[in-house]
Amino acid sequence: MAAAFAAALAVLGSPTGNVWAQDRSPVIDVSSGNPEMNAAIAKARGTLPAFWASYDAPKPSETGHSLKARFPKPGSGHEHIWMADVKKIGDGRYSGKFANVPRDLPGKKAGDAAEFKEADISDWMFMRNDKIVGGETIKPLLKSMPKADADALRARMESP
């Protein structure tokens, strides 16, 4: 069984708090049993409190809070996709807008709203001083990307 992962997301924050995503990210298929990706998801989920701390009280330099969520594909497997404009609904439920073009979710497109559960969160990220904070699932995908793209993305990443 495979899962599709959007490699990255170019998030641009505006002074009004609006977030716009530019879909330039490749979608990479990864086996659902991939130990490197599963470790990245576990690390991301384990560090979610850092995301929520910034989400609830962002510093002026912190924008573009996004979550990567897992959605079931028709048939079998899942697509993990970045969600922008994230909102807490309550009871472990969230809403957001697809920040990338869904590849395996028929009828869905970038910008469409969707709801998901806390259990479906596979990663998080935000921008701090134009650097990506979080984005653990991006790291295992870098080796599948063209070297120039991977190097450019690595240069934009920061540790939380």
Side-chain angles (χ1 to χ4, degrees):
M1 191 178 307
F5 284 84
L9 167 71
V11 180
L12 306 173
S14 75
T16 62
N18 293 329
V19 175
W20 302 96
Q22 296 177 349
D23 189 31
R24 296 186 298 228
S25 303
V27 175
I28 299 169
D29 287 322
V30 177
S31 165
S32 59
N34 181 294
E36 192 177 4
M37 183 58 74
N38 289 335
I41 291 170
K43 184 173 181 182
R45 290 188 53 77
T47 57
L48 264 170
F51 172 84
W52 291 120
S54 176
Y55 176 92
D56 289 332
K59 295 176 181 143
S61 61
E62 297 174 344
T63 61
H65 293 78
S66 301
L67 293 171
K68 187 181 274 187
R70 171 185 69 185
F71 292 91
K73 297 190 312 189
S76 66
H78 294 90
E79 182 167 355
H80 295 253
I81 191 161
W82 288 105
M83 303 298 290
D85 297 330
V86 173
K87 306 278 187 272
K88 294 179 179 179
I89 298 173
D91 295 326
R93 299 184 53 78
Y94 306 91
S95 68
K97 294 180 181 176
F98 291 118
N100 300 99
V101 176
R103 187 182 72 177
D104 296 314
L105 304 176
K108 301 292 182 187
K109 62 186 183 310
D112 283 354
E115 291 186 11
F116 51 97
K117 298 176 187 161
E118 186 169 331
D120 294 319
I121 297 172
S122 55
D123 203 353
W124 60 268
M125 67 176 266
F126 59 87
M127 303 300 287
R128 179 189 297 138
N129 298 318
D130 294 323
K131 295 279 189 179
I132 297 169
V133 179
E136 291 299 325
T137 62
I138 297 169
K139 296 167 187 171
L141 300 176
L142 292 171
K143 63 185 168 209
S144 300
M145 298 171 66
K147 183 179 180 338
D149 293 346
D151 288 347
L153 196 49
R154 261 188 219 95
R156 296 203 60 211
M157 298 187 84
E158 170 193 302
S159 295

